[in-house]
Amino acid sequence: MTAAPHDAAGELFELANRGRSRSRHVRDGGEAVVKVVLAGCAGFSVLITALIIGILAYEAVRFFMDVSVVEFLTGTEWSPLLGEEKRFGVWPLVAGTLLVTLVAAIFALPTGLVTAVFLSEYAPSWLRAILKPVLEILAGIPTVVYGFFALLIINPSLQWIAKVVTGEELFGAYSAGAAGIAVGIMILPIVTSLSEDALRSVPRGLRDGAYALGSTRFDTSVRVVIPGALGGIMASYLLAITRAIGETMIVALAAGGLAQLTVLPWRQVQTMTAYMVQIFLGDAPATGVEFKSSFAVAALLFLMTLLLTLAGYRILARFREEYE
Amino acid sequence: MTTPPTAASGGVVTDSPRPATNKVAVIETMTTTPTPNQNQTQNQPTPAAEPPVCIQAREFNSWYGDFQALHGIELDVPTNRVTAFIGPSGCGKSTLLRWFNRMNDTIPSARASGTLDLHGTDLLSTRYDVVDLRRRVGMVFQKPNPFPKSIFDNIAYGPRLHRRYTRSDLAELVEQSLRRAAIWDEVKDRLNQSALGLSGGQQQRLCIARAIAVGPEVLLMDEPCSALDPRSTAAIEDLIRDLRHQYTIVIVTHNMQQAARVSDRTAFFYEGRLVESDETERIFTTPAHRETEDYVSGRFG
């Protein structure tokens, strides 16, 4: 600066200093406001979550003052609305939920993984560019549509197939199987999309290494890429199963309304979520033990999905460590 | 191994211009029970004779889409010698290396013309079984790429692809491969642990062990030390010197000292052309071309 005040550098210096400077107080004040707003937003969502859990726990505890925890968790009969004596054994609801989830998993998990392998390892890029958005659209369809689909297409198809194969009318108007398949179709994009992300995050160098040893594309996919992405695939499975367990609209429409302890997919079942819908939409008095029972069911459902979510995060965390 | 000798490497070897009996024996020992001593005694180069040509490129051109990466390459890679490819980034040396085992098949836009012979057979021919080619021509990459499996399973991966072994043969093959790559002593107590727990230099030697476990004749190395620290680099260079008489080694390197240290022959590439290829000593002392001299003396690149 001292050498030549009127050269280009000097002009630049003068120009850079021409603007009015922002005072430190304004700067720090702005930072403080931003911090409060951000903390407020974060706190709000934590607060809402805490409130939901609190209400669930409170109502569940009130329910357990009327009905023993032991009966709730070990009983095999669920008839809170009908009959002389109300029975609150939760197992039929849990079994219904698990049956629908199992059918959905059997349908969606292998299909989703195979589709993901195809998209990630086999499909040319133009095909993937078409299929990936189609999958995302599939993921955006409201689940009530799947419910209709189960009721009007899947269940009649199953009825017909069962008739042809066994000669008997196995399926009624509602079935756990039809609902399960519809739930499977609903979670298929989740499995496919997340598994595909996991497969694609396997470093290209591993594929090169496999090909260089004489692997075919199938060898590479099955022996290197899938094992390499196993954590992500498992996480996608757990997330999909969590969604299946919590799915409400499809099962409320297509699974039936009879809480029975069964493993037969052509029977109708009532799931935990479907029971809650029945209670809140029906005319159960808001003070009765039936009403409170839905909170106990909700709390149990929340615990189940929470455990699955935690397991998913653990697997994902372990998977992330592997390549670092 | 109970496989009869004829089934092992088939008719591929008979295309070889050199006396076939020797090579068949070598491949046999490599793919069944690779004992280093045998290889050494059978492959001792005769001092005066020029080594036979292993890979021969004639009028070889290569493109990525419309971009021509290699122009009219004429090159002989001698058998059981170390050949170094040097040149500035983007000169096509890695591209040529990746044609030697057709790794470029995985890049949709890559294509080539001209001939590339491995022991007299055009390896670019669609009739050439690419799986068999890659078994014969192994590759080691810039970044160590062990599979997320145990050390044992990393080495056993290739052999298991191509053949069925008894449990004890496989264990022996894994041990011999790791010994050959000078890493056995470091990993013998943790063969069942993940290979990802090894250091970068160890991972690279593991990858070399993995490559030689399928019994290749040729080892391609694409800047195998560029991701490693100097000590690991020295270990890999020692290993290359150790392997040079049993394998035809082609190494791409940006490090001219490395080329000078490990290679018998050096090929200098510039802008997709092979400027010259000669004895390494001559390339570094009295090269025939001005560009070569400028590059090896560090004036550009």
Side-chain angles (χ1 to χ4, degrees):
Chain A
M1 268 315 296
T2 46
H6 288 292
D7 64 6
E11 264 174 59
L12 183 68
F13 184 85
E14 197 255 326
L15 202 58
N17 282 294
R18 200 181 287 169
R20 202 153 62 84
S21 75
R22 186 163 70 146
S23 88
R24 186 177 163 185
H25 294 297
V26 172
R27 202 186 331 138
D28 289 357
E31 278 299 302
V33 169
V34 167
K35 206 166 156 184
V36 166
V37 170
L38 291 182
C41 289
F44 183 69
S45 59
V46 171
L47 186 74
I48 294 288
T49 311
L51 270 177
I52 291 173
I53 295 172
I55 290 170
L56 271 185
Y58 173 74
E59 295 285 350
V61 165
R62 290 215 311 164
F63 169 75
F64 287 127
M65 290 197 288
D66 297 338
V67 178
S68 86
V69 182
V70 177
E71 191 206 329
F72 180 73
L73 290 178
T74 59
T76 55
E77 220 182 304
W78 183 266
S79 54
L81 300 172
L82 305 166
E84 303 281 297
E85 200 184 353
K86 297 178 190 298
R87 292 206 175 264
F88 292 100
V90 80
W91 274 105
L93 295 185
V94 174
T97 298
L98 293 183
L99 179 60
V100 169
T101 305
L102 184 72
V103 172
I106 288 172
F107 174 80
L109 303 192
T111 317
L113 180 59
V114 169
T115 313
V117 169
F118 172 74
L119 282 179
S120 145
E121 306 300 312
Y122 283 83
S125 50
W126 63 266
L127 187 59
R128 189 170 52 238
I130 297 170
L131 285 179
K132 196 90 201 249
V134 168
L135 274 174
E136 324 261 282
I137 291 170
L138 212 59
I141 294 175
T143 58
V144 64
V145 177
Y146 290 107
F148 276 144
F149 187 64
L151 209 53
L152 301 178
I153 311 276
I154 301 174
N155 197 55
S157 307
L158 291 176
Q159 270 175 337
W160 183 79
I161 292 169
K163 183 92 182 288
V164 168
V165 173
T166 67
E168 287 175 63
E169 293 276 3
L170 285 178
F171 282 81
Y174 305 103
S175 69
I181 290 173
V183 173
I185 296 171
M186 181 201 82
I187 63 175
L188 190 59
I190 300 175
V191 178
T192 307
S193 190
L194 292 181
S195 293
E196 205 246 0
D197 290 344
L199 292 171
R200 282 169 71 79
S201 75
V202 171
R204 195 189 149 76
L206 288 189
R207 292 184 180 83
D208 283 348
Y211 285 126
L213 288 165
S215 307
T216 63
R217 201 172 275 240
F218 186 71
D219 292 328
T220 307
S221 306
V222 172
R223 301 188 195 208
V224 173
V225 181
I226 290 179
L230 206 58
I233 293 168
M234 286 301 145
S236 84
Y237 280 6
L238 282 177
L239 189 67
I241 289 171
T242 309
R243 286 279 282 118
I245 287 178
E247 172 49 32
T248 307
M249 206 59 213
I250 296 172
V251 288
L253 282 174
L258 187 62
Q260 53 177 339
L261 193 57
T262 180
V263 292
L264 305 175
W266 49 83
R267 295 275 186 79
Q268 62 164 310
V269 296
Q270 187 166 46
T271 67
M272 300 165 86
T273 49
Y275 172 69
M276 286 181 253
V277 171
Q278 186 191 5
I279 291 301
F280 291 124
L281 292 185
D283 48 8
T287 50
V289 68
E290 311 90 334
F291 185 80
K292 282 181 279 182
S293 74
S294 64
F295 285 95
V297 172
L300 185 61
L301 186 66
F302 173 76
L303 273 181
M304 286 165 66
T305 53
L306 180 70
L307 286 177
L308 277 173
T309 310
L310 289 179
Y313 274 114
R314 281 192 78 125
I315 289 174
L316 209 58
R318 245 181 56 192
F319 166 72
R320 283 203 179 111
E321 279 165 11
E322 268 180 33
Y323 293 115
E324 279 161 15
Chain B
M1 274 308 292
T2 51
T3 323
T6 44
S9 40
V12 187
V13 179
T14 53
D15 298 328
S16 165
R18 56 192 301 222
T21 46
N22 180 21
K23 200 66 213 179
V24 170
V26 173
I27 293 175
E28 270 314 296
T29 48
M30 282 315 301
T31 50
T32 54
T33 47
T35 41
N37 298 341
Q38 259 175 305
N39 288 331
Q40 271 162 7
T41 50
Q42 290 187 350
N43 253 333
Q44 221 44 269
T46 38
E50 274 290 299
V53 174
C54 178
I55 298 173
Q56 189 176 56
R58 288 290 176 269
E59 291 172 39
F60 183 76
N61 302 293
S62 169
W63 292 265
Y64 293 114
D66 293 333
F67 172 73
Q68 186 164 5
L70 290 170
H71 302 261
I73 304 295
E74 307 270 335
L75 177 70
D76 290 347
V77 175
T79 304
N80 294 354
R81 293 285 188 277
V82 179
T83 304
F85 286 1
I86 61 169
S89 296
C91 67
K93 55 193 191 303
S94 285
T95 300
L96 183 59
L97 191 80
R98 289 169 61 88
W99 278 114
F100 286 175
N101 68 345
R102 291 196 15 205
M103 278 306 281
N104 285 331
D105 286 10
T106 61
I107 300 169
S109 68
R111 61 198 171 85
S113 73
T115 61
L116 213 51
D117 287 357
L118 176 64
H119 291 308
T121 310
D122 188 3
L123 61 84
L124 292 174
S125 157
T126 47
R127 280 169 307 170
Y128 205 112
D129 177 9
V130 69
V131 168
D132 190 53
L133 173 68
R134 287 173 187 164
R135 196 183 60 70
R136 297 174 68 191
V137 182
M139 190 166 206
V140 176
F141 296 84
Q142 185 172 358
K143 195 163 170 260
N145 57 354
F147 301 133
K149 298 172 185 289
S150 73
I151 291 168
F152 185 95
D153 286 340
N154 261 276
I155 307 300
Y157 177 89
R160 279 177 179 147
L161 279 180
H162 302 293
R163 288 159 189 279
R164 298 206 175 282
Y165 295 87
T166 64
R167 189 185 286 260
S168 61
D169 276 349
L170 192 63
E172 176 73 11
L173 177 57
V174 168
E175 175 174 344
Q176 293 295 343
S177 304
L178 288 167
R179 280 190 190 282
R180 203 72 199 81
I183 191 181
W184 170 253
D185 289 334
E186 291 158 68
V187 301
K188 65 181 177 209
D189 297 325
R190 46 170 171 162
L191 291 177
N192 292 317
Q193 289 175 25
S194 170
L196 299 175
L198 298 173
S199 74
Q202 289 175 323
Q203 288 187 0
Q204 195 63 304
R205 276 178 288 149
L206 181 87
C207 290
I208 294 174
R210 186 175 70 185
I212 61 182
V214 294
E217 304 155 50
V218 183
L219 277 181
L220 309 175
M221 300 189 174
D222 192 356
E223 300 183 41
C225 301
S226 63
L228 304 180
D229 65 68
R231 240 178 100 188
S232 306
T233 300
I236 301 281
E237 288 182 8
D238 284 346
L239 179 56
I240 292 171
R241 272 190 289 270
D242 197 34
L243 294 171
R244 71 202 306 175
H245 295 310
Q246 290 86 56
Y247 299 95
T248 301
I249 297 176
V250 186
I251 176 172
V252 165
T253 180
H254 272 292
N255 181 333
M256 274 169 291
Q257 286 80 13
Q258 182 170 65
R261 281 193 299 261
V262 302
S263 71
D264 302 300
R265 292 184 67 85
T266 296
F268 172 63
F269 292 81
Y270 185 60
E271 292 185 343
R273 289 186 168 77
L274 175 62
V275 176
E276 66 177 298
S277 154
D278 211 327
E279 298 292 326
T280 296
E281 207 190 316
R282 195 165 303 158
I283 292 283
F284 281 92
T285 51
T286 52
H289 290 78
R290 184 62 196 265
E291 290 114 311
T292 314
E293 194 181 352
D294 286 351
Y295 185 72
V296 298
S297 61
R299 232 163 281 164
F300 81 101

